[in-house]
Structure formats: structure tokens, C-alpha cells
Amino acid sequence: MSDDIWILGITMTKFGKHPDLDTVDLAAQAAMAALADGGVTMADIGVLAAGNLIGGGGLGQQLQKQIGQTGIPVYNVSNACATGATALRTVIMAIKAGECDMGLAVGVEKLSGAGLLGAGGTAKSDKNVYEPSGRYGAVTNTDGRIGTNNMPGTFAQIGMEYGHKYGGTSFELFAKISEKNHSHSTLNPLAAYTKKMSLEQIMGDMMIAYPNTRPMCSANCDGGAAAVVISGAKLKTLSLEQQRRAVKVSASVLTSDPWSESCQVLPDVNTLTRMASTQAYEQAGVGPADLDLVELHDCFATAELVHYDNLQLCEQGGAVDFFTSGAPWRDGTMPVNVSGGLQSKGHPISATGIANIWEVCHHLRGEAGDRQIQGARVGLAHVIGLGSACGVHILEKSAA
Amino acid sequence: MSNFDGAAANLLTMGPKRCTYKGGPMATAVPIVDYLVLGDNPHLIARECTGCGARFFDRRNACASCFATTFSNAPISTTGELKAFTIVAFAAPGVPVPFVAGVVDCDGTSVRGNVIGVDPDPDHVALGMKVKLTTYVVGTDDDGTEAIGFGFAPLEA
Ligand SMILES: [Zn+2]
């Protein structure tokens, strides 16, 4: 146990609109609640990693000024949608390296009112005289003329590519995945959207990028999440109650995408996720069949399908059959996104990679109330940020 | 541009060149991107790594696959198969919607582009459909130079 890494305290704020809280407020709320959950204070923390994308930089130091300035090293991290997982992994690496025995990871984002994730990218106005610029020598804006840069469209193609390769996909199939997650969200009081949606409602909603309608896209919202990480040796010096509620980090993996033929034409979210899950299963000494629940990065309904396969929850090429078997519903053999997933829980980007770990910990601690997956002992949390970065963590219930 | 190596520098001479085009006797045209080659047989061209054959459409400092630093120009097949697509209905300001964005497998090289010449709805676009490269005028600048874009249109059976 002494070399092990544990989550001592963890929390997420309510996801949704927080008009009265700024980015630092949300980070402070999450961090203070995680410290309280772990029964420790900033005096115990030896390292802080703070994840945030659009807050203007330097969140970690701003946060210290609200919750405690102790002179510890601060790492401000930014890694697209994998930012939260990267902050957590930064703290885990510091503890593994023996630099300290306890650390705090925080991820926070304020996005409500930001419109569609990644839909931005200001269209530069056409120049009066065409001059090539940039690495493609473009004479005018190419977004929408040479494919799409927007996230709904990108992930739509990723799902369609899977369908082309293996067959069996349809608009209705992808909508059914969304129906599952919206149904799960009704049991999660911290989710941004908690309304059940029928298949007809989902398919009939506003089309964003075929086959993803609006409820099939991750919801932009505000939120924060934080975790206190501790070494096994230090944990042994704490109370039995703290040891009982601690959750073991059996695997912590971060990958980037290796080169593949089409990865710079359409992002390849598959290869690096499969690599990360393979490494994680090896590190943890468990296999997919041992998992009691999975929180995966369903930034769009089309993305969830491919990650069933990439996380090896099914045979290669078998994601459609896996879904239609009912396995990923909360009462199925492999519950996926019982939190409601990004489509209903919301996706405050930098918070997501810690919030999904909170969800898994919540079940492993037996504290998930109405949505508790009974007897959960092992869970997996996955995030991916385009570019790309993939984080996979495997968590195990304490034996204490 | 000081980081261009010799091979990449060759691309500059190949790069977007003003040339006469069918827009009229005096009209000149430039490709929307430098990997589109205009002329009688418009086609795309990739930077092909001389070490491993990996192909890239943008300027490269080194190969992402094998780290080699020399590239040659490889013409890309103008026909292919649509292997992924989406119909974008809601996009950033300035991007006309709806449009069909896709990835076309051109004889083993994946190419990003719009599917054009079809109604942008799921009844008229299908995975696996055969398409061919086609060009069109994107716009005209104040000097009367036309920007020529490309897309993929259904290949008539
Ligand atoms: Zn190479």
C-alpha cells in the first residue's frame, strides 16, 4: 500500500449556470470542498495543479489567494478537454516522484452562454487582395469550404467513419445513445440538465451537425471539480474513516496521438484512447470485464459509440452490438455514463476530467444515493481533448 | 520562412501561382490553398515524406511519422470514396450553412473536403459514395483575381 496512490477527498460543484460565481470562486468552492471531504487543510498540501482553458491564465495562484498561500509549487495546466485529468495526473506524478505525499488538483471552467463547443473560430474576413498565408497557403477562410473545424461536425464524422468501417450505425442509433444518457441524468442532482428525453424529442430537436442534434452535443456550462491525492504511506497515518473512504488510483495514464494516416485530416481519437486503455488495464492488473462502471468522454453521441470500442468494452468493431444489447444502460452489464454524461451533466471543459473521476469514486464509496451502482468495486474514467490528449484512470474501492 | 528546408522550399515554387483561368480572357485565379493545383486537370498535391511515404497537405518541418526532413510532391487521385461525412447546419458566423463536410479516401490518401453538387441532406449523401474532385470560384478580390476552391461531387455512374 505504501507505493500506492489514493484519492483522499474529491468533489464537483453543481454543473450549470453560476452567474454569481467567477472562475476563481468555482475553483475555490471545489477545492475547499475536496479538502473538507478528505479531512485535511492547505497546510497538508505539497503541490497544486490547476486546470483552466478560458479564464485568462494563472488560475492556480489566483486560487491560492482565496484558499491559502503556502508557497507550494503550482502547475497551471492546459490540455484541451483532457485538462482536468492532466491536472490530476500532474499531482499523481509529483507524489510518485516522492516530492510530496499529498497534493491538490483542480479543474474549472465558465462556459455558460458560450454557444456550441468549438463552434467559434472567428471567420476572418476576405482580404481585398488574395495572398496565401499559413501552413496551407490559404487565400481566404477555409472553414466550411474545405470541411469543417467545428466540434459537432468533427465528432459527427468520427462516428460516421466508424459506421463506414463496421456498419450498423444510423441517426436513430446515435440518438438512442443520447436517450440513455439523458435518462441517466434524471438521477444526478449535480447535472446541468436532468430531464428525460424521448427518442422522438432527441431526433426532432435542432440539427447541429448530422447526425448530432442539440441534445446529442455536450452542454456548455459552468463548473468546477477538485481532488486531494495522497500517497499510500501517508494515508496509513490517517484515521480509519479516511482510509475507508479513500479510493485507490490503480492506473493513471495520459497519451497523445501517434501519427496515423488520416489523423491530420480528421482527428483520430481512436488510436490514443485504445493505447491509453491498454496501458491502464496493464497498470491496474484488471480487464474490461472487471469494471463495474465507466464514465467516458461522450462530448457527442457519435463519440460515445467509438469509445465503447476504444476502451475495449466490446470486441473491435462491436460497438453497435454492444450498445443495442443494452449493456451500457445503468441496469446493463457495463453501465456507461450513469452520471448522464457530458450530454446532460454538462461539459465545463477543464472540470470534466476530475468530475468524471468524482462520479466513479462516488459509486465506489457507496455514496451515490439513488443512482448508486450496487456493489461497485472498480471503475474507469476517460477523457479526450482534441489535438489530441487522452486520460484514462482506473479506480478501486478501498479494502479497508 | 527561414525554417523551410530544401524540399519544402520547392513547394514555394510550385505553390499558389496566379494563372489564367476560365473566368475570362483577363481573369487570373489563385487556388484557395497551395495544395490545389489549377490548370486543365485540377488536382491536389501532397508533401510526401521521402523516408516513409507519409503524406501531408500543409508545410512540414519534419515528418510526424518518421522525423525525416525531405519531401517530394505527390499528386493525389481525383476520385475517391466518401468514408465519413457530416451535414453542418449550425456553424460560426460567416460560414454558410448547411454544407456537407467529409473525408474522402482517394486511393489510400485521406482528403478533407466538402461534398458539393448534391442536396445537403441524408437522402442524397451516403457513406461509401464515389466522388470526384471538382473546382469552383469561391470569390473575387479587388484586383479581379478569382479564388478557386475545390470539393467532391458524386461520380456519375
Ligand atoms: Zn516520414
Side-chain angles (χ1 to χ4, degrees):
Chain A
M1 175 171 174
S2 57
D3 292 336
D4 295 341
I5 300 288
W6 297 74
I7 303 281
L8 179 66
I10 188 162
T11 190
M12 66 175 272
T13 69
K14 162 89 174 142
F15 281 7
K17 291 191 172 85
H18 290 286
D20 300 330
L21 300 177
D22 64 21
T23 300
V24 178
D25 288 328
L26 280 168
Q29 192 181 99
M32 291 165 76
L35 290 164
D37 185 51
V40 295
T41 74
M42 280 303 286
D44 300 301
I45 298 299
V47 63
L48 169 64
N52 180 244
L53 291 187
I54 61 171
L59 172 69
Q61 285 85 350
Q62 293 180 61
L63 174 61
Q64 285 182 301
K65 290 175 179 67
Q66 303 303 323
I67 66 169
Q69 292 174 254
T70 56
I72 57 171
V74 170
Y75 296 89
N76 290 299
V77 306
S78 162
N79 217 359
C81 297
T83 294
T86 305
L88 183 71
R89 173 129 187 79
T90 300
V91 169
I92 289 171
M93 287 194 296
I95 295 173
K96 274 190 171 168
E99 297 222 347
C100 57
D101 53 24
M102 216 185 292
L104 176 64
V106 182
V108 63
E109 213 75 66
K110 270 189 76 78
L111 283 177
S112 57
L116 274 177
L117 174 61
T122 46
K124 65 181 181 216
S125 59
D126 288 2
K127 291 174 182 171
N128 289 333
V129 176
Y130 292 132
E131 286 297 338
S133 70
R135 284 187 172 249
Y136 293 97
V139 299
T140 185
N141 190 20
T142 59
D143 188 22
R145 290 183 170 126
I146 306 177
T148 180
N149 293 335
N150 81 18
M151 291 291 156
T154 299
F155 279 94
Q157 290 175 84
I158 285 166
M160 297 293 273
E161 183 184 39
Y162 191 89
H164 181 52
K165 200 166 171 187
Y166 298 114
T169 61
S170 64
F171 177 26
E172 184 174 322
L173 175 95
F174 291 120
K176 281 180 171 167
I177 292 174
S178 192
E179 180 190 22
K180 167 184 75 73
N181 290 351
H182 285 286
S183 171
H184 286 172
S185 76
T186 60
L187 297 173
N188 185 355
L190 296 184
Y193 300 94
T194 55
K195 284 207 174 71
K196 192 178 174 75
M197 292 189 78
S198 70
L199 188 61
E200 292 68 32
Q201 282 177 307
I202 292 168
M203 294 179 75
D205 207 308
M206 182 197 293
M207 182 60 73
I208 303 295
Y210 179 88
N212 288 322
T213 62
R214 186 169 50 184
M216 297 163 72
C217 301
S218 52
N220 275 345
C221 63
D222 308 333
V228 175
V229 184
I230 188 170
S231 69
K234 181 70 175 177
L235 179 61
K236 273 196 287 192
T237 69
L238 301 185
S239 73
L240 287 178
E241 177 62 5
Q242 283 167 307
Q243 293 183 40
R244 188 192 64 77
R245 290 185 72 247
V247 172
K248 187 180 168 191
V249 181
S250 302
S252 172
V253 176
L254 189 69
T255 56
S256 62
D257 46 349
W259 183 81
S260 64
E261 189 276 322
S262 61
C263 72
Q264 287 156 52
V265 172
L266 179 68
D268 175 7
V269 301
N270 304 314
T271 308
L272 83 168
T273 300
R274 182 169 292 274
M275 277 172 58
S277 65
T278 299
Q279 289 176 35
Y281 292 130
E282 280 173 17
Q283 256 183 41
V286 304
D290 298 312
L291 301 176
D292 296 307
L293 76 159
V294 171
E295 286 288 305
L296 62 74
H297 201 73
D298 64 318
C299 48
F300 299 91
T302 44
E304 175 156 331
L305 183 81
V306 304
H307 293 314
Y308 294 150
D309 197 323
N310 298 328
L311 295 173
Q312 303 169 57
L313 308 183
C314 60
E315 286 178 19
Q316 204 154 356
V320 172
D321 290 343
F322 173 78
F323 176 75
T324 52
S325 77
W329 282 79
R330 56 170 290 113
D331 57 358
T333 54
M334 178 74 76
V336 174
N337 290 337
V338 296
S339 66
L342 278 51
Q343 291 163 62
S344 31
K345 181 174 71 175
H347 184 24
I349 305 174
S350 296
T352 294
I354 296 175
N356 63 357
I357 287 169
W358 175 82
E359 179 70 23
V360 172
C361 289
H362 212 43
H363 291 269
L364 300 183
R365 287 167 156 184
E367 298 175 357
D370 288 346
R371 71 178 186 286
Q372 178 69 40
I373 296 298
Q374 294 303 326
R377 302 197 60 83
V378 186
L380 181 149
H382 157 259
V383 287
I384 187 158
L386 274 196
S388 298
C390 175
V392 170
H393 286 84
I394 294 176
L395 303 140
E396 284 184 68
K397 184 184 175 68
S398 168
Chain B
M1 298 214 178
S2 57
N3 57 351
F4 269 38
D5 59 32
N10 288 339
L11 290 168
L12 287 178
T13 57
M14 159 229 96
K17 250 191 248 172
R18 275 159 209 270
C19 60
T20 57
Y21 197 67
K22 46 191 167 185
M26 297 303 292
T28 58
V30 290
I32 185 168
V33 286
D34 62 13
Y35 62 92
L36 170 63
V37 178
L38 302 179
D40 291 339
N41 298 298
H43 62 282
L44 302 180
I45 194 160
R47 287 73 161 156
E48 184 175 276
C49 173
T50 55
C52 73
R55 289 176 169 183
F56 306 94
F57 289 103
D58 57 345
R59 143 173 100 73
R60 292 284 152 169
N61 299 80
C63 174
S65 174
C66 78
F67 333 130
T69 55
T70 54
F71 299 84
S72 60
N73 296 328
I76 303 299
S77 170
T78 55
T79 59
E81 181 179 298
L82 187 64
K83 72 171 192 177
F85 76 90
T86 181
I87 305 165
V88 178
F90 189 86
V95 178
V97 289
F99 64 92
V100 183
V103 178
V104 177
D105 179 349
C106 293
D107 256 351
T109 300
S110 297
V111 178
R112 173 183 160 142
N114 286 8
V115 179
I116 60 178
V118 292
D119 291 335
D121 64 61
D123 294 335
H124 293 89
V125 188
L127 290 170
M129 70 191 278
K130 303 284 188 263
V131 293
K132 66 174 191 301
L133 185 97
T134 175
T135 58
Y136 66 98
V137 177
V138 167
T140 307
D141 72 10
D142 290 348
D143 293 345
T145 301
E146 291 178 333
I148 306 301
F150 71 90
F152 291 89
L155 192 63
E156 306 306 333

